[in-house]
Amino acid sequence: MKLIPIPAFNDNYIWMLHDERRALVVDPGDAQPVLTALAQHGLTLTAILVTHHHGDHTGGVDVLRQRTGAQVYGPATEDMPEPLHRLTDGDIVEVLGLRLEVLLVPGHTAGHIAYWGQVPGADPVLFCGDTLFSAGCGRLFEGTPAQMLASLTRLAALPDATRVCCAHEYTLGSLRFARAVEPDNSALLNYQAQAQSLRQQLQPTLPSSIGLERAVNPFLRTHLPTVAHAVQQFDPMARDPVAVFAALRTWKDQF
């Protein structure tokens, strides 16, 4: 199985997983980069997985369905290009010989889902859309801080080796904020240097891993005294876990 991030728009990634014959793609906001990749690799598109309803994740679905006949899967409760298989928490998608578990992870949108599964001969994979970014998380457009905190806590409990396939190349910006929260975190310093080197070479910083995110991502570390203390310098009223998370997200929005 080969995992490829296909760049789209300014900073989106459309993830492709293929077995050298058949492919699935995740969140195709634009059809043309996918069609180009399919032709380059000689692949047949069999499945399209969508995490949420935003146009930069769904804009290419209709064209790809019409051109390839691929089956489309997406969240049960969001406005999606029809027809598609609607999914909710605990459902299983069987594609390319894989079993991908559907995780309901509201926060960025009300019905956002993620896909997680084991890959034979490789580390597990997580397609998390805009819920989790490397060193960051999505904005709360429709959900609550409590929902997003619960969603991120759930993702953080996945196996450390899980490859984190975020939908945007936001890593360097997220790391600058993470350094403001935890300036003495040596793992952050090392990761920032690695990420800067990759971007200078025009390479993606992704996929990340759950183990790495647990070490560097402040939104997965709000239970730690160092992070809570930093947040309380921004908002002294942030005392309980949800309030700390909410204040951290507000701090990032204003950063």
Side-chain angles (χ1 to χ4, degrees), residues 1-6 15-26 37-38 40-47 95-98 119-120 122 125 127 163:
M1 284 287 180
K2 294 186 178 179
L3 182 65
I4 302 171
I6 303 172
W15 288 94
M16 173 182 282
L17 190 63
H18 71 85
D19 63 5
E20 299 187 342
R21 295 182 300 111
R22 303 165 300 159
L24 66 83
V25 294
V26 185
L38 292 170
Q40 286 177 342
H41 297 281
L43 302 169
T44 299
L45 185 65
T46 63
V95 290
L96 305 184
L98 304 175
V119 178
V125 65
F127 299 113
R163 291 172 286 175

Side-chain angles (χ1 to χ4, degrees), residues 61-146:
V61 169
D62 283 335
V63 169
L64 290 173
R65 184 198 294 109
Q66 293 162 8
R67 293 281 294 272
T68 68
Q71 297 293 304
V72 183
Y73 302 83
T77 61
E78 298 201 348
D79 185 15
M80 288 279 123
E82 298 281 359
L84 79 160
H85 301 279
R86 291 191 172 272
L87 304 167
T88 191
D89 194 60
D91 285 346
I92 300 295
V93 179
E94 298 191 13
V95 290
L96 305 184
L98 304 175
R99 287 173 54 84
L100 299 176
E101 180 182 356
V102 176
L103 308 174
L104 180 62
V105 286
H108 181 67
T109 65
H112 198 301
I113 60 175
Y115 303 84
W116 178 86
Q118 301 281 352
V119 178
D123 291 328
V125 65
L126 171 69
F127 299 113
C128 52
D130 287 356
T131 296
L132 175 64
F133 297 130
S134 189
C137 75
R139 289 177 180 266
L140 276 65
F141 289 124
E142 298 172 11
T144 67

